[in-house]
Amino acid sequence: MKYDVAVIGGGPAGLAAAIEAHKNGAKVILIEREARLGGILKQCIHDGFGLVRFGKKLSGPEYAEIFIDEFRKENIEALLLTFVTNIKKLDEGFEISVVNRNGVRKLESKTLILATGCRERTAKQVSIHGTRPSGVFTAGTAQNFTNLLGELPVKKCVILGSGDIGLIMARRLTLEGAQVIGVYEAKPTPSGLTRNIHQCLHDYDIPLYLSHTVTKVFGDERLEAVEISAVDEKMNPVAGTEKIVECDGLILSVGLIPENELAESLGVKLDPKTKGPSCDGSLMTSVDGVFSCGNALHVNDLVDYVSESGEQAGRAAAKFSRAKRNRVALNAGKNMLYIVPQSIDTEADNAASTVYFRSREELGNCRLIIKCGEKTVFEKKYQFLRPPEMERITVDFSGVDSDITAEIEVAEK
């Protein structure tokens, strides 16, 4: 079985990539490990999806259904309940080994699109001490129990981390009758979108405690209490500030990590800042013919941009050729947390490229400046920038012939 484009992952990024590659004349196959397409959107029953793309509020399943319907209408081939066990690089393309209920098979594809999404950090990854009782959940797991399985996983809980999924679950659990004692955030500023802080916490009188974290859990079979401590500016617990809070549930919303085991197995270079592949303007990685998109590339705030990057990767994969490449670096400079893409191919990328970035900290009255040497390529003023809120811009890189640096300048008070 030979294909032009193999898409791994059937969430919003993978669906958009497969549809766009198909529309650009490629023979496409999509590989998804779950029984249904749609990815994490299947359990996101709250609204707020599609505001940028469709101009209206949709739930996660409603947003996914639009792409699933188009995917099926285009009659694109898909393998569900299928796991990729190995990818081997060939002289011209890739050999993909997969396993499902029908057994083991091998596919060949000229190009790959990695749309594998991201995973949640666990209690172990944030070094919470104590026993290992039941009642400790990631926010996504609690969401799955509540929204898909119809089970209330906690009655009285603490939420650690002010990421968007945690904020949304604070509201969801409250609506289902659970008591949310509070949301605790180790950083001095919230990690979620401003709209979620207001709609999920303020509107339901759920307190948010900044510069606080969970340092210990207690309980044998079931969680009985947690220890809360204040933290200093380096996010280290402050001795003497410990407080015991009784609860039967701890919900963790402590960050997302792009899923890139397959990318690493192929030797793809990863960006330590985004934890995703380093890509050029076409979203091709450091390995020719391997593209990345969606949350596997970098964690997005809005699914609208996940779909956009999927389409971008799908178009580029369908038109892929082993032509000469001349990549110049696009570096994240002063006050920048990261920027994507990390390079521009001056031989292939369109003059107008979509660029995503985050500021390193909360900044007011500032401007983004992108320079090639002493030449200013792009400049834009912002009244306010926050790390949790990703920014999207379109930049004309025509005429660029050397490394580029993006930085944020803050106006003097």
Side-chain angles (χ1 to χ4, degrees):
M1 302 295 293
K2 296 187 177 182
Y3 301 88
D4 299 313
V5 178
V7 180
I8 302 175
L15 286 166
I19 292 167
E20 192 67 18
H22 174 79
K23 287 182 176 180
N24 279 271
K27 183 181 180 183
V28 180
I29 187 166
L30 184 147
I31 303 167
E32 167 57 44
R33 64 188 177 187
E34 295 189 4
R36 295 166 54 205
L37 297 171
I40 197 66
L41 292 182
K42 297 191 295 291
Q43 66 186 50
C44 299
I45 65 172
H46 53 280
D47 67 11
F49 299 90
L51 284 169
V52 174
R53 189 180 188 95
F54 300 114
K56 55 183 177 181
K57 290 182 179 180
L58 301 171
S59 68
E62 287 173 326
Y63 185 95
E65 188 177 19
I66 294 172
F67 289 88
I68 293 170
D69 288 346
E70 186 173 3
F71 181 87
R72 289 173 176 160
K73 181 181 177 183
E74 296 291 343
N75 200 28
I76 301 169
E77 187 176 351
L79 294 175
L80 302 181
L81 285 173
T82 301
F83 290 81
V84 175
T85 58
N86 187 54
I87 302 176
K88 180 181 177 183
K89 198 171 187 312
L90 307 174
D91 291 337
E92 294 290 331
F94 305 87
E95 179 186 82
I96 308 165
S97 298
V98 300
V99 61
N100 55 28
R101 289 176 293 185
N102 298 320
V104 179
R105 62 187 288 197
K106 293 183 179 180
L107 317 169
E108 286 189 18
S109 179
K110 293 179 183 176
T111 62
L112 295 175
I113 297 179
L114 303 177
T116 46
C118 56
R119 66 177 182 268
E120 296 177 276
R121 285 190 174 92
T122 64
K124 184 178 180 181
Q125 290 174 297
V126 292
S127 303
I128 296 176
H129 302 290
T131 53
R132 297 183 63 184
S134 63
V136 180
F137 305 94
T138 63
T141 301
Q143 187 181 61
N144 183 277
F145 270 108
T146 308
N147 295 347
L148 291 187
L149 303 181
E151 300 285 347
L152 187 62
V154 298
K155 293 180 180 178
K156 183 180 180 181
C157 72
V158 162
I159 296 180
L160 176 61
S162 58
D164 288 310
I165 307 176
L167 299 176
I168 288 163
M169 283 311 297
R171 175 180 63 185
R172 184 79 179 102
L173 291 168
T174 300
L175 290 171
E176 289 298 324
Q179 179 187 356
V180 179
I181 299 168
V183 175
Y184 295 85
E185 170 60 58
K187 297 176 183 177
T189 56
S191 297
L193 295 172
T194 301
R195 73 182 190 198
N196 285 332
I197 298 291
H198 287 279
Q199 294 174 3
C200 300
L201 298 188
H202 296 172
D203 289 356
Y204 292 87
D205 296 323
I206 300 171
L208 171 63
Y209 301 95
L210 300 175
S211 297
H212 282 77
T213 192
V214 173
T215 45
K216 193 178 292 186
V217 297
F218 303 94
D220 294 323
E221 293 186 4
R222 179 76 191 197
L223 183 70
E224 298 173 2
V226 297
E227 180 185 83
I228 305 289
S229 299
V231 298
D232 60 22
E233 63 276 4
K234 294 183 179 179
M235 290 192 286
N236 295 317
V238 178
T241 63
E242 300 87 353
K243 180 177 70 172
I244 304 299
V245 177
E246 293 185 359
C247 59
D248 70 349
L250 171 61
I251 310 296
L252 301 172
S253 180
V254 289
L256 301 169
I257 304 171
E259 287 268 20
N260 278 302
E261 284 78 6
L262 290 175
E264 288 183 283
S265 73
L266 288 165
V268 168
K269 180 184 176 183
L270 300 184
D271 183 337
K273 295 177 180 177
T274 63
K275 305 296 191 292
S278 293
C279 290
D280 63 18
S282 68
L283 301 189
M284 187 165 71
T285 70
S286 58
V287 176
D288 269 11
V290 178
F291 298 79
S292 179
C293 59
N295 286 338
L297 176 59
H298 65 119
V299 178
N300 291 254
D301 309 331
L302 303 178
V303 71
D304 311 72
Y305 296 148
V306 167
S307 300
E308 179 183 59
S309 69
E311 289 171 338
Q312 189 176 349
R315 264 191 313 274
K319 298 176 181 179
F320 171 73
S321 66
R322 300 185 184 280
K324 177 185 175 184
R325 307 194 190 283
N326 181 35
R327 287 176 171 172
V328 297
L330 177 52
N331 300 304
K334 184 174 63 175
N335 292 322
M336 298 281 287
L337 182 60
Y338 73 72
I339 192 164
V340 174
Q342 291 85 355
S343 65
I344 298 296
D345 185 350
T346 61
E347 299 286 339
D349 290 345
N350 291 329
S353 295
T354 302
V355 173
Y356 306 93
F357 75 92
R358 294 181 192 268
S359 62
R360 184 175 296 279
E361 57 187 333
E362 290 193 0
L363 301 172
N365 192 16
C366 55
R367 60 176 179 159
L368 172 72
I369 302 173
I370 301 179
K371 286 187 173 184
C372 178
E374 296 300 316
K375 177 185 175 183
T376 299
V377 175
F378 181 87
E379 187 173 346
K380 183 177 179 179
K381 291 184 178 180
Y382 291 89
Q383 289 186 333
F384 201 74
L385 289 173
R386 295 184 63 232
E389 297 175 1
M390 186 184 74
E391 298 292 335
R392 175 191 179 278
I393 54 176
T394 301
V395 182
D396 184 352
F397 288 110
S398 57
V400 166
D401 56 3
S402 60
D403 288 0
I404 312 158
T405 299
E407 61 181 35
I408 301 169
E409 286 191 356
V410 181
E412 294 183 4
K413 295 182 181 179

